[in-house]
């Protein structure tokens, strides 16, 4: 089938590559000429495992192309996906100006029947607005609007797209639904068909629930710290209940990234707008903010004044396997340390170049080697759950540090092993048991 993706960011590009991989003819559109030039040169503007290989292969096979020309895109695809950003307004509500603009641009280019698919995360009822807009700018145009939310995670986006848990298609027309089902047939995944509004809501409700799970275990971690229990064991124990599940019960510094903080704020704003305020989610946000505060307090309790203290930080990305630093709690932490006068020596396997470009990048030392980041450090903080940090040779870390103090903000390390190696180890929610001293 021929399809077009408007917006070639994380979601658009990865979705386009995966559709091409299963045999469709995909044209990816973006209004940023630099991004399209980069892609046409054969470079990938983001780091996502497996994506570069998949793009290269499908470009070579002629199934994946790029353009800045939206009308060309609309003419190409029987199905036209909208995958543009939906950034937050200062009050947390969703800024839909890019969606509206694309709807306006699509409208005059519709010559034959099109399915316009909303892939971006949007408030419930946006589909109606998109349809209204297209009708206003192209009266009589033959099209249907469909909501098809995306559930991919950064860092495993390709795998999530190729083997999705479910595909949600919100459609009010049999014709559009049939095309969407054909499009997704090669993925052999469970398809849930709904009305448009329900599909739109599923995305915000799913992300909010996952964030709720994280804040739940983080709130439990605070109780563990106060009581001497171990949150890892508690998570294991409750996660073994199939009704609860172990996933997304990893206590840590809290959730970040381009989705959760934005989507939870948006869902709160949407609920308030509809006159049914979802106050539980405000608590989810509060717990998330608190997690970093408690961590900083524990660091201060140990080091007293942070000014002039050399602190090594491992991890800057908002999670493992990505170079994405948007709303990264690791970066918030570094900013706080810098604001208190600490000398931060930071390392991340993929996100260093992105941090180098920030004003913050000039206030810290970015070190290419995790061991060297620890030179002279009074504490090592693990801020991102990169698996390689757990594999690090801590026997080599210790002699490089001024004092062998490890604050593990992602519970990656084993407290007993760290104690055996002579570290004083502080995890999240690991109570007194986690502080192992030689
Ligand atoms: C999320 C959703 O998982 C995905 O379905 C949706 O499409 C987009 O938003 P993503 O933001 O890529 O994906 O990352 P995710 O793996 O969900 O992690 C989000 C944040 O939560 C990260 O900062 C991560 O460190 C944190 N996290 C995750 C925890 O603190 N504990 C956990 O148990 C899981």
């Amino acid at each position: 089938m021929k399809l077009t993706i408007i917006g070639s960011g994380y979601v658009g590009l990865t979705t386009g590559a995966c559709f091409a991989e299963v045999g469709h003819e995909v044209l990816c559109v973006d209004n940023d000429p630099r991004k399209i030039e980069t892609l046409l040169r054969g470079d990938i503007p983001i780091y996502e495992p497996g994506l570069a290989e998949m793009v290269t292969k499908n470009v070579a096979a002629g199934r994946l192309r790029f353009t800045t020309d939206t009308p060309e895109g609309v003419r190409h695809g029987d199905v036209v996906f909208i995958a543009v950003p939906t950034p937050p307004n200062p009050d947390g509500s969703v800024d839909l100006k890019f969606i509206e603009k694309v709807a306006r641009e699509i409208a005059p280019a519709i010559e034959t029947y099109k399915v316009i698919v909303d892939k971006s995360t949007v408030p419930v009822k946006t589909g109606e607005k998109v349809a209204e807009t297209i009708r206003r700018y192209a009266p009589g145009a033959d099209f249907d609007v469909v909501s098809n939310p995306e559930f991919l995670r950064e860092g495993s986006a390709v795998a999530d797209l190729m083997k999705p848990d479910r595909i949600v298609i919100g459609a009010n027309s049999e014709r559009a639904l049939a095309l969407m089902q054909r499009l997704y047939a090669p993925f052999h995944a469970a398809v849930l068909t709904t009305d448009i509004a329900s599909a739109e809501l599923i995305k915000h409700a799913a992300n909010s629930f996952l964030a709720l799970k994280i804040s739940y275990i983080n709130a439990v971690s605070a109780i563990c710290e106060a009581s001497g229990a171990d949150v890892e064991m508690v998570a294991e124990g409750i996660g073994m209940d199939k009704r609860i599940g172990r996933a997304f019960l990893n206590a840590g510094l809290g959730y970040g990234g381009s989705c959760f903080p934005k989507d939870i704020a948006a869902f709160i704003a949407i609920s308030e707008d509809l006159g049914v305020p979802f106050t539980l989610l405000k608590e989810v946000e509060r717990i998330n903010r608190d997690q970093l505060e408690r961590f900083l307090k524990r660091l201060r309790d140990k080091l007293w004044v942070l000014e002039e203290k050399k602190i090594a930080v491992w991890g800057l990305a908002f999670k493992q396997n990505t170079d994405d630093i948007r709303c990264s709690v690791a970066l918030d932490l570094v900013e706080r340390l810098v604001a208190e006068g600490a000398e931060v020596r930071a390392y991340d396997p993929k996100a260093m170049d992105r941090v180098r470009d920030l004003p913050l990048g000039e206030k810290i030392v970015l070190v290419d080697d995790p061991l060297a980041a620890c030179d002279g450090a009074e504490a090592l903080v693990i801020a991102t759950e990169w698996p390689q940090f757990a594999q690090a040779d801590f026997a080599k870390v210790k002699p490089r540090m001024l004092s062998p103090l490890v604050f593990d903000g992602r519970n990656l390390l084993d407290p007993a092993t760290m104690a055996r190696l002579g570290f004083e180890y502080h995890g999240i929610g690991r109570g007194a048991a986690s502080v192992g001293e030689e």
Side-chain angles (χ1 to χ4, degrees), residues 38-58:
T38 304
L39 288 163
L40 288 172
R41 259 202 325 269
D43 292 332
I44 309 295
I46 50 169
Y47 170 72
E48 188 60 45
L51 182 62
E53 296 82 346
M54 192 179 262
V55 169
T56 308
K57 175 180 158 199
N58 284 285

Side-chain angles (χ1 to χ4, degrees), residues 22-318:
V22 299
H24 297 310
E25 279 178 53
V26 182
L27 180 56
C28 285
V29 182
D30 204 285
N31 64 1
D32 178 353
R34 275 179 318 173
K35 191 182 284 179
I36 294 299
E37 272 164 32
T38 304
L39 288 163
L40 288 172
R41 259 202 325 269
D43 292 332
I44 309 295
I46 50 169
Y47 170 72
E48 188 60 45
L51 182 62
E53 296 82 346
M54 192 179 262
V55 169
T56 308
K57 175 180 158 199
N58 284 285
V59 166
R63 287 190 298 264
L64 182 60
R65 293 186 299 119
F66 305 101
T67 182
T68 51
D69 187 340
T70 303
E72 182 195 344
V74 177
R75 282 192 299 275
H76 167 84
D78 298 315
V79 180
V80 178
F81 284 86
I82 304 177
V84 294
T86 48
N89 287 313
D91 67 355
S93 62
V94 184
D95 183 348
L96 291 167
K97 67 168 179 271
F98 299 123
I99 300 267
E100 195 266 353
K101 186 159 182 272
V102 169
R104 269 190 287 131
E105 286 173 359
I106 288 175
I110 298 178
E111 289 164 3
T112 54
Y113 176 73
K114 303 284 170 189
V115 178
I116 310 296
V117 186
D118 200 343
K119 216 71 4 276
S120 305
T121 302
V122 293
V124 58
K125 291 184 182 298
T126 300
E128 274 177 28
K129 288 277 187 202
V130 168
E132 261 171 49
T133 306
I134 296 175
R135 271 195 293 272
R136 199 163 59 246
Y137 285 84
D142 191 13
F143 72 98
D144 280 304
V145 169
V146 162
S147 167
N148 174 220
E150 189 45 70
F151 302 102
L152 62 82
R153 289 162 300 173
E154 288 180 24
S156 55
V158 170
D160 288 350
L161 270 162
M162 295 306 289
K163 282 195 186 311
D165 285 348
R166 81 303 208 184
I167 287 154
V168 174
I169 303 174
N172 294 346
S173 123
E174 287 298 327
R175 188 178 181 189
L177 183 59
L179 269 176
M180 291 300 288
Q181 280 169 330
R182 250 184 68 203
L183 194 67
Y184 276 109
F187 293 90
H188 306 291
V191 176
L192 176 72
T193 57
T194 68
D195 58 283
I196 297 176
S198 302
E200 289 169 334
L201 240 153
I202 284 169
K203 176 63 193 265
H204 273 124
N207 270 2
S208 298
F209 190 78
L210 292 170
L212 171 83
K213 274 189 102 174
I214 298 169
S215 276
Y216 185 88
I217 201 66
N218 282 338
V220 172
S221 79
I223 297 173
C224 288
E225 276 162 30
S227 63
D230 186 331
V231 75
E232 293 301 314
M233 291 181 190
V234 178
E236 217 47 50
I238 58 179
M240 284 168 86
D241 186 328
K242 287 195 187 69
R243 294 169 302 174
I244 298 174
R246 178 64 181 80
F248 279 71
L249 286 180
N250 294 323
L253 288 173
Y255 60 77
S258 66
C259 291
F260 283 175
K262 171 174 86 94
D263 290 353
I264 281 73
F267 207 25
I268 292 171
I270 292 162
S271 69
E272 285 171 353
D273 207 39
L274 292 167
V276 280
F278 200 162
T279 49
L280 174 65
L281 295 183
K282 291 203 164 174
E283 192 57 14
V284 169
E285 286 183 326
R286 190 197 61 77
I287 294 166
N288 201 53
R289 283 193 300 270
D290 238 37
Q291 213 53 16
L292 178 59
E293 295 310 319
R294 268 189 315 111
F295 191 75
L296 283 166
K297 182 176 177 305
R298 289 170 61 206
L299 197 59
R300 274 187 228 107
D301 284 350
K302 202 67 218 172
L303 295 181
W304 195 7
V305 174
L306 297 186
E307 195 166 337
E308 295 178 3
K309 300 278 157 67
K310 242 181 220 167
I311 299 180
V313 176
W314 284 2
L316 296 166
F318 85 96

Side-chain angles (χ1 to χ4, degrees), residues 12 18 20-21 24 44 157 159 162 329 350:
C18 290
E21 179 73 15
H24 297 310
I44 309 295
M162 295 306 289
V329 185
K350 291 287 174 199

Side-chain angles (χ1 to χ4, degrees), residues 338-350:
V338 168
E340 293 189 35
E343 293 173 24
V344 173
R345 296 171 61 79
Y347 167 78
D348 188 281
K350 291 287 174 199

